[in-house]
Amino acid sequence: MAAFARTSPISLHPDHPNHQTPQTHKPKALSFSHNLHTHHLSFKKTQELSLLVINTSSSSSSITTHNPNSDICELCLVGNLEKALKHLESMQELQIFVEEDAFVALLRLCEWKRAYDEGTIVYSYVSNSTSRLSVRLGNALLSMFVRFGDLGNAWYVFGKMEERDVFSWNVLVGGYAKAGFFDEALDLYHRMLWVGIKPDVYTFPCVLRSCGGVPDLDRGREVHVHVLRFGFESDVDVVNALITMYVKCGDVQSARLVFDRMPRRDRISWNAMISGYFENGECLEGLRLFFSMRELSVNPDLMTMTSVISACELLGDERLGGQVHGYVIRTEFGAEVSVYNSLIQMYSSVGNWDEAEKVFSRMEHKDVVSWTAMISAYENNMLPAKALETYKLMELEGVLPDEITLSSVLSACACLGRLDMGVKLHELANRTGHISYVLVANTLIDMYSKCKCIDKALDVFHSIPEKNVISWTSIILGLRINNRSFEALIFFRQMKLSLKPNSVTLISVLSACARIGALMCGKEIHAHALRTGVGLDGFLPNALLNMYVRCGRMRPAWNQFNMHKQDVAAWNILLTGYAERGQGAHAVELFQRMVGSNVNPNDITFISLLCACSRSGMVTEGLEYFHSMQHKYCITPNRKHYACVVDLLGRAGKLEDAHEFILKMPIEPDPAIWGALLNACRILHQVELGELAARHIFEKDTTSVGYYILLCNLYADSGKWDEVAKVRKTMRQRGLIVDPGCSWVEIKGKVHAFLSGDNFHPQIMEIKAVLEGFYEKMKAAGFNGPEKSSMDEVEASKAEIFCGHSERLAIAYALINTAPGMPIWVTKNLFMCQSCHNTVKFITKVVRREISVRDTQQFHHFKDGLCSCGDVGYWGKSDI
């Protein structure tokens, strides 16, 4: 018989190479003669035979008519599989004929005991005894293999059967449907009809489940017609399957028509329709049907109640959820663990973790789902510490975590930076095998990334055999937050070769593009979003807006802003863009437009606004906006706002006012606030006050490299090189490393990265020659070049350490590889030092090109020997 399933794993032909006949036993061909005297038996075999066929109770020792096959059947009836198999083996060795009843009894017992190995042994005997199978024996084999999930052998048995009845087809169709091979199951069903087998009441539930599993509404409707044609429209089980099929295919209206026309309904009918509404997002209709069910005095069961609680979760209706909770307590469901688990999840989803905690504490018996639900409730409600405490209690109770538990606890570790515990959970996942779940591996990537162990995250990523979209998105985001944006773009291009990115992936990649100024890559993503229709989803429009702003392209940014919903986040992004450029007047004007558009500002709005005022010297306006936050907009200032005000006063030279402002703060200042004062002291060379600020900083934060760099620069600018050496020594002792200077420039859609002191670039000789030419011209023009400046060797060394001069390499490369007159855009990971600032100003004057450099704090737009920062960067007035 030819193969007919579209993508079936094995041919029906008995000689197909995929035939998996067990090789454990290779019995000889059976003799079906009962004449034992024709065989030459050893004394031992004679004794074994006598046990089977001789009635020892007879005084005359005469041979009886007792059939040993009945012994196997009796042993199977009492469930003694081991002894039954020994009888079978003895019969085979003695070449006694094994009847079909014995084989069937053995196969059914193997199926019932889930004894796969023993079942294959019996199958090997059957295979060697006959080449064709009867319907009864074939069905027993089919049922056993399908129960074991061995569709390969089931398919082979099906092909060897001389005849097949409706049970044969039902078993195989059901096996494929249960294994998720829905198309194959439907093809088998149509073949069944083609050979003239009439389906019965057991056929349609499997076939309809396959239609819903695809989902294929057209084929489902075709099967509905068959249900009517064969007269099963009144069978409750079949009609329930029809309802489930329609709701799985998203056609709730047709499901309801079928439900309403049912002459008789059971609880499964009600549950199928109610849960169908919930699955398709029509929770209110599902709840109305639940109330109708109660009015008709149909008692709900466990499935009904868990579905209703889940609907309250989806609706976010805590009040209704509380009423359902009260109903549950009054009924017999009050002791069901699964109901309590659903209640915990419901309360967690609406943010009422306190009530979820009460439900959890009242549970007499808690399973792994209960513990996981409570851990997830804490984690989802931004209480990671409580999540870890609960997990530790779970361990003490001896409950083993599952993959979802591990994922939730790892997320909590990521939030708290608990690398130690995350590593232990990783080891546990390896021991228990849970690391094979992509969910666990993805969460490990996120945990390691947030704990600044990106190499560990990469190891986990590469160990995943089948990576999904979340795997790629997690590693791309991890690379981005660990300042490896260049690699993030490489991974994104690799991902696109095998998977379609979602909106979260695109947002992560756009963040990487914004970080290194990869405009063309960002534009490609923009085009992809428009082509695929994901451009309007969630935060993606604002991610695109942020990319254009961070890449310094305000005109495209305004186009993006005007084309989409102008929420407070979009306004904040534009405000931040103007703040980075030191364009305080534009920022103030934009803020007024924002308020005039009836968009309420939030705390981030005022951070951007205060930064813009600070960098533009707009002290009066900045203080006015700070005071209006609480009085006019009812926003309580946080520490970031206070830091902005300190920076505002400090940059304006009002250091004493800034210090006094800190002392009078209603909240305790954090290192960032003192850091703003330290930065202002560095600009104005106020060592004493700067040292005071540094002492406050290092009382609370000894690991942030940036504060050490600020202090080093303060001492260096004031000529205190001994103090610089002390700070550098402290940094080395504490294992603090300054990131090497790196700059990125995009040429013809490709991003090029340049590290400080990079001597391995293919065009390094040309780059150095271009720079040497500029240095010679600077000296000839009477300017202090970078090699012989007013700085002594130690100061030059300081600039090398904290700047790296990598932007010079990027600019020289761009000058070589772009057409004359083309603007150059460079992004840098460190501050831009005074020497580089002066050099780039000179270059723009010579080559008559616009060059933009974005460092960690602001944009420097150079044109005709001038900079948009007004020659006031982080070091005061320049020399040129």
Side-chain angles (χ1 to χ4, degrees), residues 755-792:
L755 287 170
S756 300
D758 184 3
N759 291 315
F760 299 100
H761 194 277
Q763 291 182 264
I764 190 62
M765 299 306 295
E766 295 175 74
I767 292 170
K768 286 186 175 181
V770 168
L771 290 175
E772 288 295 334
F774 285 124
Y775 299 158
E776 292 297 327
K777 288 179 182 179
M778 287 179 74
K779 286 188 288 185
F783 296 113
N784 289 326
E787 294 182 357
K788 289 185 182 279
S789 66
S790 59
M791 296 188 302
D792 60 19

Side-chain angles (χ1 to χ4, degrees), residues 581-595:
R581 286 160 182 75
Q583 297 175 341
H586 288 350
V588 169
E589 181 185 348
L590 185 65
F591 177 75
Q592 298 302 332
R593 283 182 56 187
M594 173 184 176
V595 175

Side-chain angles (χ1 to χ4, degrees), residues 46-80:
T46 305
Q47 284 183 320
E48 291 176 350
L49 175 62
S50 66
L51 292 174
L52 292 171
V53 296
I54 297 177
N55 186 354
T56 55
S57 62
S58 173
S59 60
S60 61
S61 301
S62 61
I63 298 177
T64 69
T65 59
H66 177 70
N67 185 354
N69 285 283
S70 61
D71 290 336
I72 293 178
C73 294
E74 289 174 7
L75 287 169
C76 291
L77 282 175
V78 297
N80 195 336

Side-chain angles (χ1 to χ4, degrees), residues 399-697:
V399 179
L400 294 176
D402 60 12
E403 68 277 10
I404 302 174
T405 318
L406 287 174
S407 177
S408 298
V409 181
L410 283 167
S411 294
C413 291
C415 291
L416 296 171
R418 287 289 305 275
L419 178 62
D420 54 340
M421 189 168 183
V423 170
K424 290 179 181 177
L425 291 169
H426 189 178
E427 293 170 353
L428 176 63
N430 284 326
R431 288 197 305 271
T432 59
H434 287 119
I435 192 66
S436 61
Y437 290 93
V438 181
L439 172 67
V440 175
N442 292 345
T443 317
L444 277 168
I445 293 171
D446 181 63
M447 185 274 295
Y448 280 126
S449 298
K450 290 177 178 175
C451 292
K452 304 301 179 184
C453 293
I454 188 62
D455 290 328
K456 285 274 190 182
L458 285 166
D459 289 341
V460 175
F461 174 80
H462 290 306
S463 70
I464 302 175
E466 294 184 11
K467 304 170 182 66
N468 59 17
V469 174
I470 300 173
S471 311
W472 286 95
T473 303
S474 298
I475 196 63
I476 288 169
L477 182 59
L479 289 165
R480 163 63 191 93
I481 63 178
N482 282 275
N483 296 320
R484 290 167 69 168
S485 298
F486 190 74
E487 292 175 70
L489 299 187
I490 295 173
F491 272 75
F492 175 66
R493 295 192 185 280
Q494 291 175 353
M495 173 191 178
K496 288 198 298 182
L497 298 176
S498 57
L499 287 172
K500 181 181 177 182
N502 60 19
S503 59
V504 181
T505 316
L506 298 182
I507 290 169
S508 301
V509 181
L510 284 168
S511 176
C513 292
R515 176 65 186 89
I516 63 175
L519 177 67
M520 292 307 298
C521 182
K523 284 185 173 181
E524 287 177 18
I525 295 169
H526 193 173
H528 171 84
L530 293 174
R531 283 196 309 270
T532 57
V534 299
L536 302 177
D537 289 351
F539 190 71
L540 187 56
N542 286 342
L544 285 164
L545 175 62
N546 180 64
M547 183 272 297
Y548 284 120
V549 168
R550 297 277 286 163
C551 288
R553 305 315 202 269
M554 293 305 291
R555 185 174 297 176
W558 271 105
N559 291 337
Q560 174 71 13
F561 178 78
N562 292 325
M563 286 173 60
H564 295 281
K565 181 183 177 182
Q566 298 170 358
D567 57 10
V568 65
W571 289 95
N572 289 344
I573 291 168
L574 283 179
L575 281 169
T576 302
Y578 285 123
E580 287 181 341
R581 286 160 182 75
Q583 297 175 341
H586 288 350
V588 169
E589 181 185 348
L590 185 65
F591 177 75
Q592 298 302 332
R593 283 182 56 187
M594 173 184 176
V595 175
S597 301
N598 295 320
V599 177
N600 293 323
N602 59 16
D603 57 335
I604 299 172
T605 310
F606 283 98
I607 292 173
S608 300
L609 191 59
L610 290 169
C611 284
C613 292
S614 175
R615 292 173 186 176
S616 303
M618 300 168 62
V619 179
T620 304
E621 293 86 344
L623 292 174
E624 287 177 358
Y625 284 121
F626 177 76
H627 292 302
S628 68
M629 281 179 60
Q630 195 160 11
H631 303 304
K632 188 174 181 180
Y633 299 101
C634 300
I635 299 172
T636 303
N638 60 35
R639 287 182 173 83
K640 290 183 179 180
H641 298 106
Y642 285 103
C644 288
V645 174
V646 173
D647 185 62
L648 174 75
L649 295 170
R651 283 177 181 268
K654 300 183 177 183
L655 289 178
E656 292 301 326
D657 291 344
H659 186 209
E660 187 179 350
F661 178 80
I662 294 174
L663 297 177
K664 291 182 178 180
M665 280 173 51
I667 56 178
E668 184 180 358
D670 64 358
I673 293 171
W674 289 107
L677 182 62
L678 175 60
N679 185 50
C681 292
R682 179 189 58 79
I683 293 173
L684 298 171
H685 311 301
Q686 295 293 317
V687 176
E688 187 177 346
L689 186 57
E691 288 178 333
L692 173 66
R695 283 196 295 272
H696 284 287
I697 291 170

